[in-house]
Amino acid sequence: MSQPERRLVAWFLYVAMLALSIGATLGPFQALEHAGINLYPYLAPFIRSYYQGLSIHGVFNVLVWTTFFISGFLTFATMSGLKHPLYSLKLGWITFWIMIAGIGLTGWALFSDNATVMFTSYPPLKAHPAYYLGLTLVVVGTWLVSANIFLTYRAWRRDHPTERTPLATFGALATFVMWDIASLGIAAEFLTLLIPASFGITQGTDPLLARAFFWFTGHPIVYFWLLPAYVSWYAMVPKQAGGKLFSDPLARLALVLFIPFSIPVGLHHQFTDPGISEAWKMVHAALTFVVFFPSALTAFTLLASLENAGRARGGRGWFGWFFKLRWDDPAVAAQVLAMLLFAAGGVSGIINASYDLNLMVHNTAWVPGHFHLTVGSGVTLTFMGISYWLIPYLTGRKLWSRRVALWQAWTWFAGMLLLGRGLHWLGLLGAPRRTMLGAAAYRALNPEWGLPSLLVGVGGGILAVSLYLYLVEMAATIWFSREPADIEVPEAEAVSGPEHAPFLLERWRVWIGAAVVLTAIGYVPTVVQLLAHFNPVASLRVW
Ligand code: HAS
Ligand code: CU
């Protein structure tokens, strides 16, 4: 890969890390607040409220850290998989700057306390137009990233008409095909409802319609975050762990199934919303169990692949292989620990999706418990693990300290175990999410919240240490490491190779067609009904 290409990828990752440093720094303040230690007064005048901090935490972590990392990593995976130059480096940089302008606008609105609306941007809360325009630019940026990737693929395909697409690139394509369709919901929401209302062109918005548009994108966005981690787990980790991918065709099947099944499930975020038919909620609940399936396939394939690696390295017995994995390689340790946490997050996800159980846990601390194990661990800890080899590869500088990186991975694991346990538990005890619990009078009526809140506080504290270990490791590698890195891009071989994959898996039109049909079935009746009862209410700034 050429130096200029490496530089482009590296800059996407640097901005991702900068965003994480901002977003995640605010996390421990929330966790400590739940444990009864309110440090917000010390953040003034930069952060004026718990809710402003929470909005910045959500946006910078799940929207900016993820999106920039993914844009860099999947662009990389496309080029390195195909061994083909990027279609247009210039387009790559234009995209980068559009996205930077976007986070500039959004960041300004958030930090000036003009957008305390949470990362879900729920109306009738009204943010400054800069907030919505900025996020719109970031989404437009992702479309341009995908265009560059698709055009690179097309150029490669012309010279290789019958070859199977290399697995990592296949995963990058599947991710962006899915995302480009999925992101139309938030585009519709922002362009037709939130931006006009924010400018005062319309008097208000219909919160229910806006929420439906939001979750049209808001569920599949979690797979936009997850699939790049799957790309690494399938196409790279087996090699790094010292073994082979169990089945390449099974990996492709899992990845491609996300295209049709990711979108028509968004109503599982709206089970408690009035005005949407119970029947359609049930359809989305059932389809959520369908989209669970490719992740279950993934768990199977990964376990078999890791077992293959552990046995190749001399592991014996039912579990002995697990301890023989390359635990001394931080890239491997971080990603296997991420898988373990993600498996627990997947379990709480299926509980969320189960209609009746959702009524118990919805809007409680259980839900942030769930997503800290999924996006906060499965995805984030994986991206950290990837950066332990990818940053050295891109910069040519050896990882500064393997030991610090290993400590980082294990502390993230420990911190998230405690935080995840505490939040799920608090949720079961009825503690609401997105609430400044320490200031809530009813807290005194619930003494049993004490222990789980403590777990949240301690977990958050450990995570703060872990975050700074990560940032120090990265900064030291980029600035101070003097030894040259000697890194090969990991490309896992497979026990059952790509030659066994039916070509149907690469017929993108079939999968896109299936996605369009299923999405239309899943959403058209509900959207038509919501439009027929369009009921705008005034937008509010409540802070
Ligand atoms: Fe979720 C809410 C259902 C996956 C993120 N989710 C959220 C929110 C976020 C989020 C951010 O049905 C909150 C949104 C908000 O602010 O309101 N979620 C699911 C289901 C899945 C799922 C069924 N979620 C994710 C992923 C996320 C994510 C992935 C981010 C990346 N989620 C819900 C529902 C809600 C929800 C409801 C609404 C709740 C409410 O009421 O508000 C599934 O896709 C999960 C499938 C996962 C698995 C696990 C497979 C395990 C693997 C690892 C293998 C491990 C190995 C190592 C091999 C089936 C692949 C093992 C080694 C050994 C030795 C054991
Ligand atoms: Cu969802």
Side-chain angles (χ1 to χ4, degrees):
M1 194 169 301
S2 72
Q3 272 310 327
E5 287 169 336
R6 288 184 202 216
R7 196 170 317 126
L8 175 69
V9 172
W11 272 97
F12 272 108
L13 303 192
Y14 297 158
V15 175
M17 291 169 196
L18 187 67
L20 185 73
S21 74
I22 298 170
T25 293
L26 290 166
F29 288 88
Q30 291 146 215
L32 290 172
E33 198 282 333
H34 287 353
I37 305 169
N38 180 13
L39 297 178
Y40 283 94
Y42 299 101
L43 292 179
F46 302 108
I47 305 293
R48 275 157 263 191
S49 69
Y50 170 87
Y51 298 98
Q52 186 191 3
L54 186 58
S55 300
I56 297 173
H57 177 71
V59 170
F60 274 77
N61 287 339
V62 299
L63 301 182
V64 185
W65 149 251
T66 51
T67 304
F68 270 79
F69 198 99
I70 293 161
S71 299
F73 178 57
L74 293 188
T75 301
F76 169 84
T78 304
M79 291 187 283
S80 77
L82 299 176
K83 309 209 171 20
H84 194 281
L86 188 63
Y87 176 78
S88 166
L89 197 61
K90 196 163 159 200
L91 174 60
W93 281 110
I94 292 173
T95 306
F96 176 82
W97 287 110
I98 289 178
M99 289 168 72
I100 291 286
I103 55 170
L105 286 170
T106 300
W108 169 79
L110 281 164
F111 274 97
S112 60
D113 204 16
N114 279 305
T116 299
V117 297
M118 315 283 123
F119 88 95
T120 46
S121 310
Y122 278 154
L125 293 180
K126 180 170 81 164
H128 189 282
Y131 171 81
Y132 304 109
L133 290 174
L135 287 181
T136 306
L137 288 181
V138 173
V139 174
V140 169
T142 60
W143 293 341
L144 295 176
V145 172
S146 68
N148 220 343
I149 288 180
F150 295 155
L151 290 167
T152 307
Y153 168 72
R154 199 179 65 170
W156 173 86
R157 190 40 101 195
R158 230 177 271 138
D159 304 335
H160 305 82
T162 54
E163 247 175 71
R164 296 283 191 289
T165 310
L167 184 58
T169 310
F170 183 88
L173 295 172
T175 307
F176 272 108
V177 166
M178 184 281 289
W179 169 248
D180 286 348
I181 307 171
S183 50
L184 296 175
I186 201 165
E189 184 198 16
F190 275 31
L191 297 180
T192 66
L193 298 174
L194 300 195
I195 292 178
S198 165
F199 273 112
I201 300 168
T202 50
Q203 286 311 305
T205 50
D206 180 336
L208 199 54
L209 180 64
R211 283 164 67 91
F213 281 149
F214 182 83
W215 289 115
F216 178 104
T217 301
H219 181 79
I221 201 175
V222 311
Y223 301 129
F224 177 58
W225 306 328
L226 179 69
L227 294 191
Y230 279 8
V231 167
S232 171
W233 293 355
Y234 277 131
M236 297 165 183
V237 170
K239 164 91 175 194
Q240 292 168 307
K244 288 185 177 175
L245 172 64
F246 176 67
S247 165
D248 175 288
L250 214 48
R252 284 172 203 261
L253 177 66
L255 289 165
V256 91
L257 285 180
F258 281 100
I259 298 174
F261 293 126
S262 289
I263 304 171
V265 298
L267 291 185
H268 69 217
H269 293 267
Q270 300 186 269
F271 286 158
T272 59
D273 284 16
I276 295 175
S277 118
E278 300 294 308
W280 284 109
K281 289 178 184 171
M282 286 310 289
V283 171
H284 282 230
L287 284 171
T288 306
F289 284 85
V290 175
V291 76
F292 181 80
F293 177 70
S295 288
L297 271 185
T298 301
F300 170 79
T301 308
L302 292 177
L303 261 176
S305 310
L306 291 179
E307 181 177 348
N308 175 290
R311 293 204 187 282
R313 291 168 52 79
R316 296 279 166 269
W318 279 33
F319 300 110
W321 56 267
F322 187 71
F323 302 99
K324 289 281 185 187
L325 297 174
R326 286 214 173 110
W327 288 104
D328 59 338
D329 177 348
V332 174
Q335 296 191 65
V336 175
L337 294 175
M339 290 174 197
L340 285 172
L341 292 172
F342 180 64
V347 171
S348 70
I350 208 69
I351 292 171
N352 292 341
S354 309
Y355 197 106
D356 313 37
L357 295 179
N358 183 274
L359 304 182
M360 291 276 302
V361 298
H362 182 65
N363 274 345
T364 72
W366 168 283
V367 174
H370 162 68
F371 66 68
H372 281 83
L373 294 182
T374 50
V375 64
S377 304
V379 172
T380 295
L381 188 50
T382 294
F383 288 0
M384 289 165 162
I386 293 171
S387 38
Y388 290 147
W389 65 266
L390 185 53
I391 290 292
Y393 174 84
L394 295 171
T395 58
R397 290 158 182 261
K398 197 172 169 197
L399 192 66
W400 170 66
S401 162
R402 176 182 278 251
R403 193 200 285 219
V404 167
L406 283 170
W407 271 98
Q408 189 280 321
W410 281 98
T411 44
W412 197 267
F413 181 69
M416 278 300 177
L417 270 184
L418 295 178
L419 183 99
R421 180 70 178 95
L423 285 171
H424 278 97
W425 188 357
L426 270 176
L428 290 181
L429 295 174
R433 69 181 287 201
R434 292 181 159 169
T435 300
M436 198 177 175
L437 285 181
Y442 50 80
R443 187 190 164 90
L445 301 175
N446 293 282
E448 71 279 15
W449 292 0
L451 180 57
S453 308
L454 187 67
L455 292 185
V456 172
V458 174
I462 298 175
L463 285 165
V465 173
S466 187
L467 169 73
Y468 287 100
L469 289 179
Y470 175 65
L471 296 172
V472 166
E473 174 75 58
M474 286 293 103
T477 302
I478 296 160
W479 286 317
F480 304 125
S481 170
R482 288 283 164 263
E483 268 184 75
D486 177 23
I487 304 263
E488 249 180 64
V489 179
E491 275 180 55
E493 279 177 56
V495 178
S496 169
E499 64 282 5
H500 299 297
F503 214 75
L504 172 69
L505 294 177
E506 302 224 7
R507 292 204 197 289
W508 299 103
R509 292 211 177 110
V510 172
W511 300 102
I512 295 170
V516 171
V517 170
L518 263 180
T519 304
I521 294 173
Y523 268 106
V524 169
T526 299
V527 170
V528 166
Q529 193 243 341
L530 290 172
L531 283 172
H533 296 91
F534 188 71
N535 183 23
V537 302
S539 303
L540 298 169
R541 179 178 165 138
V542 293
W543 65 94

